[in-house]
Amino acid sequence: MNPPQNDTLLRALRREPTDYTPIWLMRQAGRYLPEYNATRARAGSFLSLCTSPELATEVTLQPLARFALDAAILFSDILTVPDAMGLGLHFVDGEGPRFARPLVDEEAVANLAVPDPERLRYVFDAVASIKRALAGKLPLLGFAGSPFTLACYMIEGGGSADFARVRRMLYARPDLLHRILSVNAEAVAAYLAQQQAALQAAGVPVKTHLIAAPPAEAILRCSAAEDADLIVMATHGRGGLERWWHGSVALDVVQRALRPVLLVRVEQ
């Protein structure tokens, strides 16, 4: 497989010498860009922007035209996965994401299932479209949210200042929270695997670099099965990550900042 023309980030992840520290941003495409705001207005809503492969490709490429960045990152949202589970995602101006059908009782948790990948086809089509548009110039990073982060939104029904419902479930019904986390872990693993498969189906012979957050052994199994390196982001620092993943992987710190980033290279 041929490396991209600018492979500085990939070499840094492998702890190889680089001429400079590579840069990419978590919210690389966003409201700080006038062209993003124009595209967002054309889309009509943030969710419409996420679900259009053409527009998602357009906004993914916009910051690359302005800045000398070292990777593209898929434009999407972590809550597309629970939306595909049937929770009814929508965005309220000034408030952020909301779910029409949050997990408020045992029946809702019991009915939770890993979504049909076809319900997320627009994401996978965007992955393939972006990679083709990059034309081998830069790496493309895919991503997914952590099972616990998703669970918090799914239980609370949106953002929360105190996560009271999540904490109540944790202490009163830990079995329900464990089921949600188990389903989410399998869903995220499948989601990342499908991002990799989208590149292969598009005839792009490159190794994929996926971003996820702990904790989920299923995500690690996905990385091993798909021959994809996994970039792990967490707020706990290096020590917490080393305690989480141990024995089967090698951890390399590539960024020491507010959010430590580590490459997890699977040992076959």
Side-chain angles (χ1 to χ4, degrees), residues 2-265:
N2 296 323
Q5 295 170 25
N6 178 349
D7 66 345
T8 305
L9 176 64
L10 305 187
R11 286 188 284 117
L13 290 172
R14 294 192 295 265
R15 302 187 71 183
E16 297 174 0
T18 61
D19 295 332
Y20 59 91
T21 300
I23 298 173
W24 63 274
L25 309 173
M26 269 301 296
R27 290 174 177 83
Q28 200 154 276
R31 288 173 290 180
Y32 73 99
L33 292 174
E35 54 268 40
Y36 168 87
N37 293 321
T39 306
R40 163 74 167 72
R42 279 173 30 225
S45 70
F46 177 77
L47 196 56
S48 295
L49 183 57
C50 290
T51 56
S52 167
E54 295 78 14
L55 295 181
T57 300
E58 182 178 320
V59 295
T60 296
L61 299 177
Q62 285 171 348
L64 304 179
R66 276 184 176 259
F67 309 115
L69 299 163
D70 295 290
I73 181 165
L74 165 68
F75 181 84
S76 188
D77 192 272
I78 63 171
L79 299 183
T80 55
V81 173
D83 182 48
M85 295 176 175
L87 273 64
L89 176 65
H90 61 283
F91 288 82
V92 179
D93 289 342
E95 296 183 18
R98 290 287 182 270
F99 284 116
R101 293 173 289 279
L103 304 177
V104 296
D105 53 36
E106 187 168 354
E107 181 180 4
V109 176
N111 291 333
L112 193 66
V114 175
D116 182 345
E118 285 303 310
R119 299 199 64 179
L120 292 160
R121 174 55 52 192
Y122 60 90
V123 176
F124 312 137
D125 288 346
V127 168
S129 172
I130 295 165
K131 193 63 185 182
R132 285 192 295 266
L134 288 172
K137 297 176 182 177
L138 289 172
L140 171 61
L141 302 174
F143 75 93
S146 84
F148 187 78
T149 300
L150 299 183
C152 288
Y153 280 97
M154 294 160 72
I155 296 167
E156 296 287 342
S160 173
D162 57 13
F163 297 98
R165 292 179 180 176
V166 176
R167 291 187 287 114
R168 190 177 302 117
M169 183 179 291
L170 172 64
Y171 289 104
R173 292 298 304 273
D175 57 315
L176 297 185
L177 185 54
H178 276 290
R179 167 157 171 74
I180 296 170
L181 292 174
S182 177
V183 173
N184 284 356
E186 294 299 330
V188 168
Y191 183 56
L192 293 175
Q194 285 292 324
Q195 290 183 35
Q196 168 82 347
L199 294 180
Q200 295 172 341
V204 182
V206 296
K207 190 160 187 171
T208 305
H209 299 265
L210 304 168
I211 297 175
E217 291 184 3
I219 299 174
L220 179 58
R221 293 198 302 272
C222 156
S223 180
E226 299 299 325
D227 189 30
D229 292 334
L230 194 64
I231 300 171
V232 183
M233 302 192 68
T235 56
H236 308 301
R238 176 174 180 170
L241 286 166
E242 287 177 335
R243 288 192 295 274
W244 167 53
W245 259 335
H246 55 84
S248 61
V249 297
L251 299 178
D252 292 321
V253 177
V254 297
Q255 177 179 315
R256 296 176 183 271
L258 294 177
R259 287 181 176 270
V261 179
L262 301 101
L263 172 71
V264 178
R265 186 169 299 283

